[in-house]
């Protein structure tokens, strides 16, 4: 019973995380490149925008994903990537 409860909790948390990610506009999903270890400047160059814009989008992504830190956002990205297959 404990395993079933734990599996259900994990499933609900993953579902919630996926819903938060789907709520991001396409540009903010792109800015999530920061989770791959790129600096804001590198993300800006890759997306053809300014570092200031990347910082603004990053703040919005962190808020919408309810991430307390970049490390938290990286963890979330790992969960989403692991379960997107």
């Amino acid at each position: 019973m404990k395993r079933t409860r734990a599996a259900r909790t994990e499933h609900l948390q993953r579902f919630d995380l996926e819903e938060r990610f789907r709520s991001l506009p396409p540009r903010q999903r792109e800015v999530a490149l920061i989770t791959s270890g790129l600096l804001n400047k590198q993300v800006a160059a890759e997306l053809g925008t300014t570092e200031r814009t990347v910082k603004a989008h990053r703040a919005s992504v962190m808020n919408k994903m309810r991430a307390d830190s970049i490390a938290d956002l990286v963890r979330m990205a790992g969960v989403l990537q692991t379960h997107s297959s």
Side-chain angles (χ1 to χ4, degrees), residues 2 5-6 11 31 38-39 45 52 54 64 71-72 81 84:
K2 284 183 182 180
R5 217 175 297 143
H11 175 74
V31 169
L38 296 177
L39 301 172
R52 186 175 186 156
V54 170
K64 289 179 181 179
D72 198 20
Q81 186 177 31
S84 67

Side-chain angles (χ1 to χ4, degrees), residues 12 17 23 28-29 41 47-48 57 59 62-63 69 71-72 76:
L12 290 173
L17 191 58
S23 77
Q28 289 179 352
R29 289 182 192 180
K41 185 188 310 185
L47 298 178
H57 282 306
M62 300 258 314
N63 186 42
S69 65
D72 198 20
M76 291 175 182

Side-chain angles (χ1 to χ4, degrees), residues 17 21 24 27-44 46-47 54 57-63 65-82:
L17 191 58
F21 183 74
L24 298 175
R27 189 57 152 188
Q28 289 179 352
R29 289 182 192 180
E30 290 174 347
V31 169
L33 285 171
I34 58 172
T35 63
S36 66
L38 296 177
L39 301 172
N40 290 335
K41 185 188 310 185
Q42 293 168 315
V43 173
E46 190 148 327
L47 298 178
V54 170
H57 282 306
R58 182 188 68 189
S60 184
V61 167
M62 300 258 314
N63 186 42
M65 292 299 291
R66 293 184 233 141
D68 295 325
S69 65
I70 292 294
D72 198 20
L73 198 59
V74 169
R75 182 193 59 77
M76 291 175 182
V79 169
L80 288 169
Q81 186 177 31
T82 300

